[in-house]
Amino acid sequence: MSASDPPLDPRGVRFAAALSTVVLAIVLLTGSGWLLAAQAVVFALAAFAGPRFAPYPLLFRTLVAPRLSPPTEREDAAPVRFSQLIGFVFALVGTVGYLTGLSVLGVVATAIALVAAFLNAAFGFCLGCEMYALLHRFRTHRNQQGATA
């Protein structure tokens, strides 16, 4: 994950989460492993290439952001990329479940991703970002303990 990602407009992050929520809900309703695979690609692009190369942020930047006032705040891209990586993992597991006939695995993995996306879209609570912060604190704490030992 690159430290060169520019800070993000949090409204764009929530917009992407809202679109992910809709897609994941449709997956749960239809059981479509192929639609979940497409969502996995969206998550992968945001996680590995960066938000500026992913389709949902691109839609936000071209269709929505020009109609809004400039953002009053920005957020670091690294936690968002991490959350997209987590979404990718769950979408990939769900896709494998659906496409191999392990529908329960597909439903559970999709439902977990849906809950996380919905929390971000509806309440601005990014579960993956919180996990990123916890991991960062844990690593920092371990490094400080190692330096004093």
Side-chain angles (χ1 to χ4, degrees), residues 2-133:
S2 171
S4 65
D5 287 324
L8 304 173
D9 182 339
R11 301 170 300 179
V13 175
R14 289 181 77 176
F15 176 83
L19 291 179
S20 295
T21 297
V22 170
V23 171
L24 294 167
I26 293 170
V27 169
L28 281 179
L29 292 172
T30 64
S32 174
W34 293 111
L35 181 57
L36 187 56
Q39 180 62 48
V41 169
V42 170
F43 284 139
L45 284 169
F48 298 113
R52 66 180 167 234
F53 300 107
Y56 299 164
L58 179 63
L59 284 172
F60 176 79
R61 285 192 314 273
T62 57
L63 301 177
V64 179
R67 292 169 171 72
L68 302 174
S69 61
T72 58
E73 60 182 287
R74 297 280 185 170
E75 67 181 82
D76 184 20
V80 175
R81 285 184 79 163
F82 180 80
S83 71
Q84 296 297 297
L85 176 63
I86 299 299
F88 167 69
V89 169
F90 278 97
L92 183 61
V93 169
T95 298
V96 169
Y98 280 120
L99 296 181
T100 61
L102 299 171
S103 297
V104 171
L105 178 62
V107 168
V108 169
T110 303
I112 291 169
L114 174 60
V115 167
F118 176 75
L119 286 172
N120 196 348
F123 305 109
F125 181 79
C126 177
L127 194 55
C129 300
E130 294 299 320
M131 289 172 56
Y132 177 90

